[in-house]
Amino acid sequence: GAGVSQSPSNKVTEKGKDVELRCDPISGHTALYWYRQRLGQGLEFLIYFQGNSAPDKSGLPSDRFSAERTGESVSTLTIQRTQQEDSAVYLCASSLQGPMNTEAFFGQGTRLTVV
Amino acid sequence: AQKVTQAQTEISVVEKEDVTLDCVYETRDTTYYLFWYKQPPSGELVFLIRRNSFDEQNEISGRYSWNFQKSTSSFNFTITASQVVDSAVYFCALSEGPDPIQGAQKLVFGQGTRLTINP
């Protein structure tokens, strides 16, 4: 597709279960970002990939959160033993690497609800 | 450390009024990039503008204009003759210059300003 694609668009899970969120970046975009947006809040940085390495994962809130990326393609964000405070929209973005920071293009997000 | 502050949490104006959204940033780098994004009710973030730290020229795009002032570390956004369709949450963001090895840097966002344009 032409844009960043995220799946699922909505996910309801029981507290304590593990969830996997998927992001398909724009083809050719080497940089990929995960953000979390709680209801009515701003975007909270989680992790950033350059290719399949993660130079900055300083935003991951706890060791329950992990992410991986296959080459310069799909990324998955995994949350283990979900808690109610994990409920949020998880946004993925991708951008071109280069000498100038180009704009990041965002997906529509995955709305996660932990009950 | 990078930081972006959008002091205005919510703004409500009547259609056709002009409105300015404030953005103040902090960074130690001399090379950095500033962005504005729009988040309509649908939720997807829409890119509006990118400005690098070496270009202080103000920019106008239709009813939108941006005022970048390094002296006050501000990058304010003005909508002229606002319309109901401008209602959205607007985010200002900052990234420091790309690392020559690692590439582009992460975007740090402000908390957003919810703009409501009333008919």
Side-chain angles (χ1 to χ4, degrees):
Chain A
V4 177
S5 177
Q6 291 187 247
S7 61
S9 54
N10 279 283
K11 176 73 176 178
V12 180
T13 190
E14 291 181 354
K15 178 181 173 181
K17 300 282 189 182
D18 298 352
V19 294
E20 270 193 6
L21 312 181
R22 177 187 170 107
C23 174
D24 282 274
I26 293 172
S27 178
H29 280 194
T30 54
L32 185 147
Y33 313 81
W34 283 99
Y35 288 85
R36 177 169 71 178
Q37 187 177 26
R38 291 194 165 113
L39 186 64
Q41 302 293 313
L43 276 74
E44 177 186 4
F45 170 80
L46 298 178
I47 187 169
Y48 148 62
F49 285 94
Q50 187 60 50
N52 62 5
S53 67
D56 190 342
K57 42 189 169 184
S58 60
L60 295 177
S62 74
D63 59 7
R64 296 187 296 105
F65 286 72
S66 62
E68 61 179 28
R69 187 178 185 195
T70 307
E72 294 182 353
S73 183
V74 172
S75 175
T76 54
L77 176 69
T78 301
I79 308 173
Q80 296 177 310
R81 305 181 302 282
T82 52
Q83 304 294 314
Q84 287 185 330
E85 65 260 28
D86 299 335
S87 296
V89 175
Y90 289 82
L91 290 160
C92 175
S94 70
S95 69
L96 285 167
Q97 178 189 359
M100 292 172 56
N101 276 6
T102 58
E103 64 268 29
F105 293 86
F106 282 80
Q108 291 196 315
T110 294
R111 182 175 298 278
L112 175 67
T113 304
V114 182
V115 298
Chain B
Q2 303 165 275
K3 185 178 179 182
V4 176
T5 302
Q6 294 179 256
Q8 304 149 307
T9 306
E10 294 191 34
I11 300 175
S12 181
V13 300
V14 177
E15 198 172 22
K16 297 183 183 177
E17 285 186 23
D18 298 348
V19 58
T20 295
L21 310 181
D22 297 334
C23 173
V24 174
Y25 61 90
E26 295 177 30
T27 177
R28 294 178 191 161
D29 268 21
T30 55
T31 301
Y32 53 89
Y33 298 82
L34 296 163
F35 304 79
W36 276 94
Y37 283 84
K38 174 182 180 180
Q39 188 176 42
S42 61
E44 186 170 354
L45 274 88
V46 177
F47 166 80
L48 296 178
I49 190 172
R50 179 188 72 219
R51 171 68 74 227
N52 75 58
S53 53
F54 299 109
D55 181 4
E56 286 194 72
Q57 190 170 5
N58 291 329
E59 181 156 340
I60 298 174
S61 175
R63 295 184 298 105
Y64 295 173
S65 62
W66 290 269
N67 184 350
F68 177 28
Q69 294 205 348
K70 289 179 77 170
S71 60
T72 55
S73 298
S74 65
F75 187 44
N76 296 338
F77 172 32
T78 298
I79 302 175
T80 304
S82 60
Q83 300 177 1
V84 173
V85 294
D86 296 328
S87 297
V89 180
Y90 290 86
F91 290 97
C92 180
L94 163 74
S95 73
E96 293 173 342
D99 183 279
I101 297 174
Q102 301 287 11
Q105 298 278 8
K106 68 185 182 191
L107 277 172
V108 173
F109 283 81
Q111 288 299 299
T113 297
R114 181 176 298 278
L115 177 63
T116 302
I117 310 296
N118 300 299

